[in-house]
Amino acid sequence: MKPQPLSEVSPLLVSRPPDRLGDYAHQAIQTCVGHILKQEKGVLAQRDPEFVHQMRVGLRRLRTVVQVFDVAIALPKALKDRALKQLGNVLGRVRDLDVLQNWLSNYTDQANLKKSEKKILRTLTNRLKKHRKKRVAQMQKYLQSNTYKRLTKTWQRWLKHPHYKKLACLPLDISLSDLQLPIIAQLLLHPGWLVTDSTDPTNLEHVHALRKLIKGIRYQMALFRNED
């Protein structure tokens, strides 16, 4: 069975969203966690690289939800960003290789290459496959570890018995702008916008950081998008 994109599984904003910050945060977290857990079997079985991609997307959106609603939700230490980052790392190492392999495959098929060039690319592709196999083994080991099992069980316990902060009772409509402004300010003041020399490694790091921030904002804006 093919994995479904997160937007098709369950939109983060339903036609009648909860009015309070805490309730909205709970709904968004439930959607993201559910999506992540649905990908587990496919990721472990390695039936389709898309399962890894969808699990990673669900995780990124979960991290965004946690960041946005930090003022309203009280999470145990086990659910802080450090634990989620570890999962993101093991998924990202596999996903990055999938993207690279796909690009090389398309390039080899479309480019007018000499036999010697094709031979070099085949050698590179075989090396990438071996490297991916190693990363997949590491990823599968983590997903079957007690560390990951504790993480998912802790999320499920929190969803059944959520804990909130005082601001959780605030109406969403009057606090929405205050939730969004901090990360938008980071975007507008980011040094990556000023990069003109692409040969400087430091500049490239700024551009990469800006790209990640833009992606985070896209996920954040999707939380509040009206699907009607």
Side-chain angles (χ1 to χ4, degrees), residues 10 28 32 37-39 71 83 92 110 174 197 207 212 216:
S10 178
C32 294
L37 297 179
K38 284 182 180 179
Q39 315 307 316
V71 297
Q110 297 174 10
I174 67 170
D197 181 7
V207 173
K212 289 171 62 178

Side-chain angles (χ1 to χ4, degrees), residues 168-224:
C169 62
L170 286 178
L172 181 65
D173 56 354
I174 67 170
S175 53
L176 180 57
S177 60
D178 294 314
L179 291 175
Q180 293 180 323
L181 282 175
I183 193 170
I184 292 176
Q186 291 180 44
L187 173 66
L188 296 177
L189 296 173
H190 198 281
W193 295 115
L194 303 178
V195 171
T196 56
D197 181 7
S198 61
T199 62
D200 187 339
T202 302
N203 286 341
L204 293 179
E205 290 178 6
H206 285 319
V207 173
H208 179 60
L210 176 60
R211 176 178 172 271
K212 289 171 62 178
L213 183 59
I214 292 173
K215 188 171 291 187
I217 290 178
R218 178 164 61 87
Y219 291 150
Q220 177 176 329
M221 295 305 177
L223 290 173
F224 309 105

Side-chain angles (χ1 to χ4, degrees), residues 7 13 20 37 44 58 124 127 136-137 145 154 165 186 212 225:
S7 58
L13 181 58
R20 300 185 305 171
L37 297 179
L44 290 171
L124 177 58
R127 289 182 179 178
V136 166
S145 69
T154 305
K165 298 177 182 177
Q186 291 180 44
K212 289 171 62 178
R225 185 175 62 240

Side-chain angles (χ1 to χ4, degrees), residues 7 28 30-31 55 59 69 74 76 101 103 105 108 110 114 117 124 127-128 150 164 172 188-189 197 219 225-226:
S7 58
Q30 190 171 46
T31 298
M55 192 173 194
L59 178 64
F69 292 103
Q101 283 183 313
W103 184 89
S105 177
T108 303
Q110 297 174 10
K114 299 178 181 178
E117 294 172 329
L124 177 58
R127 289 182 179 178
L128 287 174
R150 282 195 298 269
Y164 299 107
L172 181 65
L188 296 177
L189 296 173
D197 181 7
Y219 291 150
R225 185 175 62 240
N226 194 332

Side-chain angles (χ1 to χ4, degrees), residues 107-108 112-122:
Y107 178 77
T108 303
N112 185 18
L113 302 173
K114 299 178 181 178
K115 288 185 178 180
S116 58
E117 294 172 329
K118 290 182 178 180
K119 184 178 179 180
I120 293 173
L121 288 178
R122 281 198 300 270

Side-chain angles (χ1 to χ4, degrees), residues 16-190:
R16 293 183 181 178
D19 295 327
R20 300 185 305 171
L21 281 183
D23 295 333
Y24 199 100
H26 184 277
Q27 174 183 283
I29 289 173
Q30 190 171 46
T31 298
C32 294
V33 171
H35 181 74
I36 291 169
L37 297 179
K38 284 182 180 179
Q39 315 307 316
E40 281 184 10
K41 289 184 179 180
V43 170
L44 290 171
Q46 283 296 290
R47 293 194 298 264
D48 189 326
E50 185 67 14
F51 283 103
V52 175
H53 174 55
Q54 287 300 321
M55 192 173 194
R56 193 182 183 206
V57 169
L59 178 64
R60 282 180 167 176
R61 292 197 174 186
L62 177 60
R63 293 176 69 180
T64 299
V65 171
V66 171
Q67 177 187 3
V68 171
F69 292 103
D70 180 64
V71 297
I73 56 176
L75 297 175
K77 187 177 181 180
L79 300 182
K80 294 299 182 180
D81 193 64
R82 184 176 180 181
L84 300 180
K85 190 175 182 179
Q86 185 178 6
L87 175 58
N89 286 339
V90 297
L91 294 172
R93 292 180 189 122
V94 175
R95 177 59 184 169
D96 290 346
L97 290 172
D98 286 339
V99 171
L100 182 55
Q101 283 183 313
N102 185 62
W103 184 89
L104 280 175
S105 177
N106 291 335
Y107 178 77
T108 303
D109 292 339
Q110 297 174 10
N112 185 18
L113 302 173
K114 299 178 181 178
K115 288 185 178 180
S116 58
E117 294 172 329
K118 290 182 178 180
K119 184 178 179 180
I120 293 173
L121 288 178
R122 281 198 300 270
T123 301
L124 177 58
T125 299
N126 290 333
R127 289 182 179 178
L128 287 174
K129 287 181 179 178
K130 291 180 180 179
H131 192 47
R132 184 185 186 277
K133 187 176 181 180
K134 180 181 177 181
R135 292 301 190 187
V136 166
Q138 294 173 344
M139 177 183 66
Q140 292 173 329
K141 182 179 179 180
Y142 177 78
L143 293 179
Q144 294 170 328
S145 69
N146 290 330
T147 300
Y148 176 73
K149 291 176 182 177
R150 282 195 298 269
L151 177 64
T152 56
K153 287 181 180 179
T154 305
W155 271 118
Q156 291 169 330
R157 281 198 299 268
W158 187 89
L159 286 170
K160 288 182 179 179
H161 306 287
H163 291 79
Y164 299 107
K165 298 177 182 177
K166 291 182 178 180
L167 294 183
C169 62
L170 286 178
L172 181 65
D173 56 354
I174 67 170
S175 53
L176 180 57
S177 60
D178 294 314
L179 291 175
Q180 293 180 323
L181 282 175
I183 193 170
I184 292 176
Q186 291 180 44
L187 173 66
L188 296 177
L189 296 173
H190 198 281

